[in-house]
């Protein structure tokens, strides 16, 4: 067959191909490894230079024409297939919306959004860490050595296996290849360590999330939520901590008369440590936050733990305590949700009872904003 007739035959057959499979078969037949045009190209090597000069351009042009024709035909077939699909498939946009909104935003989620909103205004970013944590981040780096008595108070859920450490910390105290014990984090404080190691200083973060302790009654569930706060900078002192907590609690409870009392306390990872109480007063037999807890008929309620980050913790996380200071705090998210929105049994938070969720849940449109007063609208059922 001459080059010319091979060419016109190929182009005719390509033009007549009706689907992608036929077209592919033609491509293989002409341009594949054993294809007829490919074989022609191979003959060039055995030709004399004169012959090659005459035949070479023709064969190359043939290959180009067939390649182009295949591509053009493929485009045509593809767009015809798309047109056919668009014509055949229809989307019915006339389905009715559900009569009532289904589902609601859980109060824990809502409160976490409120926290993020309030703290974002003070320049805090949101950080997260794993719920399956290792011993080192949850305890050791927080100044709780293997034998520290505070470990016993955490009712920790341990995993049965020990795994190989990866030496992924800034500290030399966890050598590569050392075995580590995994656990469900008992507090959000390991996120302090992870943040300091990952980003150095300065730092301003909150870290909301799930934590786990083997404990269960009306005010304790084996899983609950905390939010950790951490500020690391130069010249940070207790006054910054108090101001930050006051500003946060006033915005969160939407009252200007929130009064705090700082009590000396002990946490291994803060020094000094302070427990923060908030004043309440009795209104129609109900405890309402606000006012001086020492006034007659008033009282103090323990709200959160906090303190100045222990120099040992800074060292564990690779920061120089001579240069950097900071404060940290940890709050029970479920607890402040209960205080703000008036639930009295923590267990109901995690029962998934549709009636509870309908009553205490929030509409997805209730986005907390500082200007509107975070969470001012109250529960969906309220
Ligand atoms: N991690 C502590 C707890 O779970 C709370 C806390 C956080 C205390 C930060 C001080 C500083 O009880």
């Amino acid at each position: 067959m001459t080059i010319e007739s091979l060419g016109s035959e190929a182009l005719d057959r390509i033009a007549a191909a009706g689907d992608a499979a036929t077209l592919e078969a033609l491509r293989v037949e002409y341009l594949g490894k054993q294809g007829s045009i490919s074989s022609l190209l191979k003959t060039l090597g055995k030709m004399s230079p004169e012959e090659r000069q005459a035949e070479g351009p023709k064969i190359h042009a043939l290959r180009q024409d067939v390649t182009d024709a295949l591509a053009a035909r493929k485009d045509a077939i593809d767009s015809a297939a798309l047109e056919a699909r668009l014509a055949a498939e229809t989307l019915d946009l006339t389905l009715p919306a559900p009569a009532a909104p289904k589902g609601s935003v859980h109060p824990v989620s809502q409160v976490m959004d409120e926290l993020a909103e309030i703290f974002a205004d003070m320049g805090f970013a949101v950080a997260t860490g794993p719920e399956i944590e290792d011993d080192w981040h949850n305890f050791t780096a927080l100044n709780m050595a293997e034998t520290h008595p505070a470990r016993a108070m955490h009712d920790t859920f341990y995993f049965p296996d020990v795994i190989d450490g990866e030496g992924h910390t800034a500290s030399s105290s966890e050598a590569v290849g050392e075995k580590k014990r995994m656990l469900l984090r008992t507090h959000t404080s390991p996120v302090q360590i992870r943040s300091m190691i990952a980003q150095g200083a300065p730092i301003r973060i909150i870290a909301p999330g799930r934590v786990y302790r083997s404990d269960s009654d009306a005010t304790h569930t084996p899983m609950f939520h905390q939010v950790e706060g951490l500020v690391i900078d130069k010249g940070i002192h207790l006054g910054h901590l108090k101001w930050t907590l006051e500003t946060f609690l006033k915005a969160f409870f939407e009252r200007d008369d929130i009064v705090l009392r700082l009590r000396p306390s002990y946490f291994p990872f803060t020094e000094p440590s302070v427990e923060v109480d908030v004043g309440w007063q009795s209104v129609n037999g109900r405890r309402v936050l606000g006012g001086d807890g020492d006034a007659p008929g008033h009282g103090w309620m323990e709200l959160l733990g906090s303190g100045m980050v222990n120099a040992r913790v800074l060292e564990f996380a690779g920061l120089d305590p001579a240069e950097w200071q900071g404060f940290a705090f940890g709050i029970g998210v479920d607890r402040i949700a209960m205080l703000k929105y008036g639930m009295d049994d923590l267990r109901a938070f995690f029962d998934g009872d549709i009636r509870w969720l309908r009553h205490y849940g929030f509409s997805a449109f209730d986005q907390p904003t500082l200007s509107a007063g975070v969470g001012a609208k109250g529960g969906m059922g309220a």
Side-chain angles (χ1 to χ4, degrees):
M1 201 187 294
T2 63
I3 291 178
E4 287 75 19
S5 57
L6 177 61
S8 59
E9 179 213 81
L11 294 184
D12 286 348
R13 290 177 67 197
I14 289 169
D19 57 62
T22 313
L23 203 60
E24 174 60 11
L26 287 172
R27 188 190 66 76
V28 171
E29 187 179 331
Y30 290 110
L31 301 176
K33 265 208 180 86
Q34 320 286 338
S36 43
I37 297 178
S38 309
S39 316
L40 267 178
L41 279 165
K42 281 177 207 147
T43 62
L44 286 172
K46 293 180 202 101
M47 293 178 186
S48 67
E50 295 77 29
E51 254 184 312
R52 193 180 308 131
Q53 221 165 35
E55 295 303 306
K58 288 197 220 159
I59 300 176
H60 280 293
L62 169 64
R63 186 178 61 166
Q64 193 57 51
D65 288 349
V66 170
T67 304
D68 291 347
L70 282 167
R73 188 66 197 139
K74 182 162 187 332
D75 277 352
I77 289 174
D78 285 351
S79 52
L82 181 63
E83 286 304 327
R85 232 184 106 189
L86 287 174
E89 290 179 6
T90 55
L91 184 60
D92 184 358
L93 296 174
T94 64
L95 282 174
K102 299 255 154 98
S104 61
V105 176
H106 195 283
V108 169
S109 303
Q110 184 76 8
V111 164
M112 284 186 177
D113 287 349
E114 293 176 18
L115 295 171
E117 171 72 11
I118 294 169
F119 278 102
D121 195 52
M122 293 193 264
F124 285 66
V126 172
T128 55
E131 290 167 32
I132 297 175
E133 191 47 285
D134 58 59
D135 207 81
W136 191 83
H137 288 91
N138 196 80
F139 290 127
T140 311
L142 288 161
N143 198 28
M144 280 179 270
E146 203 81 39
T147 54
H148 199 290
R151 282 196 180 206
M153 291 162 54
H154 277 232
D155 303 307
T156 312
F157 288 112
Y158 283 100
F159 283 85
D161 307 328
V162 286
I163 64 164
D164 291 330
E166 288 149 24
H168 53 287
T169 66
S171 168
S172 57
S173 44
E174 193 189 38
V176 179
E178 198 174 273
K179 299 285 180 200
K180 31 182 214 178
R181 240 179 133 185
M182 302 305 286
L183 46 83
L184 292 176
R185 67 177 180 190
T186 57
H187 51 178
T188 41
S189 300
V191 185
Q192 288 187 33
I193 305 297
R194 290 186 176 274
S195 301
M196 287 188 264
I197 290 172
Q199 69 176 83
I203 292 185
R204 231 186 274 184
I205 52 140
I206 57 166
R210 295 192 185 95
V211 300
Y212 303 82
R213 291 184 201 178
S214 178
D215 206 353
S216 190
D217 59 38
T219 52
H220 298 87
T221 47
M223 184 282 296
F224 59 106
H225 300 83
Q226 286 188 334
V227 63
E228 193 81 8
L230 176 69
V231 169
I232 304 282
D233 213 319
K234 297 190 172 167
I236 296 293
H237 54 71
L238 269 182
H240 294 122
L241 168 63
K242 189 173 186 217
W243 179 88
T244 303
L245 290 176
E246 236 164 41
T247 306
F248 151 59
L249 292 168
K250 282 179 180 172
F252 181 75
F253 289 110
E254 298 177 81
R255 296 184 70 107
D256 277 333
D257 63 345
I258 296 287
V259 180
L260 299 189
R261 180 174 78 171
L262 271 51
R263 251 182 319 111
S265 182
Y266 174 77
F267 297 102
F269 33 92
T270 47
E271 182 58 38
S273 301
V274 286
E275 208 108 36
V276 177
D277 298 339
V278 61
W280 57 264
Q281 48 197 294
S282 203
V283 176
N284 300 330
R286 273 193 53 152
R287 285 184 180 190
V288 174
L289 293 193
D292 175 4
D294 284 330
H298 292 215
W300 296 104
M301 181 184 305
E302 185 183 316
L303 204 59
L304 60 100
S306 62
M308 302 303 297
V309 178
N310 193 312
R312 299 258 301 150
V313 172
L314 294 173
E315 278 166 5
F316 271 118
L319 296 180
D320 178 3
E323 195 181 349
W324 302 102
Q325 302 77 45
F327 64 76
F329 56 86
I331 312 172
V333 173
D334 318 278
R335 195 166 132 67
I336 58 172
M338 289 166 81
L339 281 171
K340 181 167 179 178
Y341 294 113
M343 305 84 156
D344 52 15
D345 192 336
L346 177 62
R347 288 168 296 198
F349 273 56
F350 312 117
D351 283 346
D353 185 324
I354 195 82
R355 294 161 301 178
W356 190 92
L357 291 167
R358 240 180 233 142
H359 182 77
Y360 288 111
F362 291 80
S363 155
F365 296 113
D366 272 346
Q367 296 269 359
T369 61
L370 278 181
S371 53
V374 280
K377 292 176 199 70
M380 261 173 84

